[in-house]
Amino acid sequence: MKVISPLIRLFLIFFILSTSFYLLFHFFHFGIPFEQTAIILTGSFIISIVVMLVFRRGYDIGGKAWLNHTLAAISLKFILYLFLIVIVYFFSKNRSLEFVLTFFVIYLAFTSYLLFSFVKLLKAKNLEK
């Protein structure tokens, strides 16, 4: 199971987003406080790792388990993101447009990577057949 390469890419996305949001807040005073952004980023990073591992596990097993693991990974992603947004929303009491935009950018970045990596694996599986 080749998991190291996707995890390194996920960490790279995490690092780039962390650096970008830190610079935006501290130098341009734009966005939500970096502490809140760090919580959202870390939560999204952990969620992406869990989803990637569940999907990869099903991919390695193959057959019906692969479909079940794929559906479980997608469902788990949405449920975990729902918990993350509820927890951050209630603890920070931040209802600003910047909070929504920050969450959307983070969600979109990690979801796009997961989508592209899933499609890449699916294409590789089709070529093997």
Side-chain angles (χ1 to χ4, degrees):
M1 181 159 95
K2 295 180 181 179
V3 181
I4 299 300
S5 180
L7 291 179
I8 291 172
R9 289 187 193 115
L10 276 174
F11 183 75
L12 185 63
I13 292 170
F14 174 76
F15 181 74
I16 290 170
L17 287 175
S18 296
T19 305
S20 300
F21 282 116
Y22 179 80
L23 294 175
L24 276 174
F25 183 73
H26 283 287
F27 291 118
F28 301 110
H29 304 291
F30 180 76
I32 62 175
F34 184 70
E35 293 78 21
Q36 291 176 13
T37 305
I39 292 170
I40 297 171
L41 272 169
T42 305
S44 297
F45 180 65
I46 293 169
I47 290 169
S48 296
I49 289 173
V50 169
V51 169
M52 179 65 74
L53 292 177
V54 169
F55 180 78
R56 289 288 221 163
R57 175 80 175 137
Y59 177 80
D60 290 340
I61 293 173
K64 265 190 173 177
W66 174 60
L67 178 63
N68 291 337
H69 279 77
T70 302
L71 293 174
I74 293 170
S75 301
L76 185 64
K77 178 177 141 302
F78 288 123
I79 291 169
L80 290 175
Y81 267 109
L82 178 65
F83 285 141
L84 176 67
I85 193 73
V86 167
I87 289 169
V88 172
Y89 179 78
F90 283 118
F91 281 126
S92 70
K93 302 286 187 198
N94 192 347
R95 295 175 178 89
S96 66
L97 180 62
E98 286 111 3
F99 175 78
V100 174
L101 290 175
T102 301
F103 182 80
F104 179 71
V105 166
I106 293 169
Y107 179 81
L108 187 63
F110 282 107
T111 300
S112 298
Y113 174 72
L114 288 174
L115 177 70
F116 289 130
S117 64
F118 287 4
V119 169
K120 183 179 175 182
L121 284 173
L122 293 175
K123 284 182 181 179
K125 189 145 186 115
N126 284 338
L127 291 176
E128 291 174 2
K129 287 185 180 183

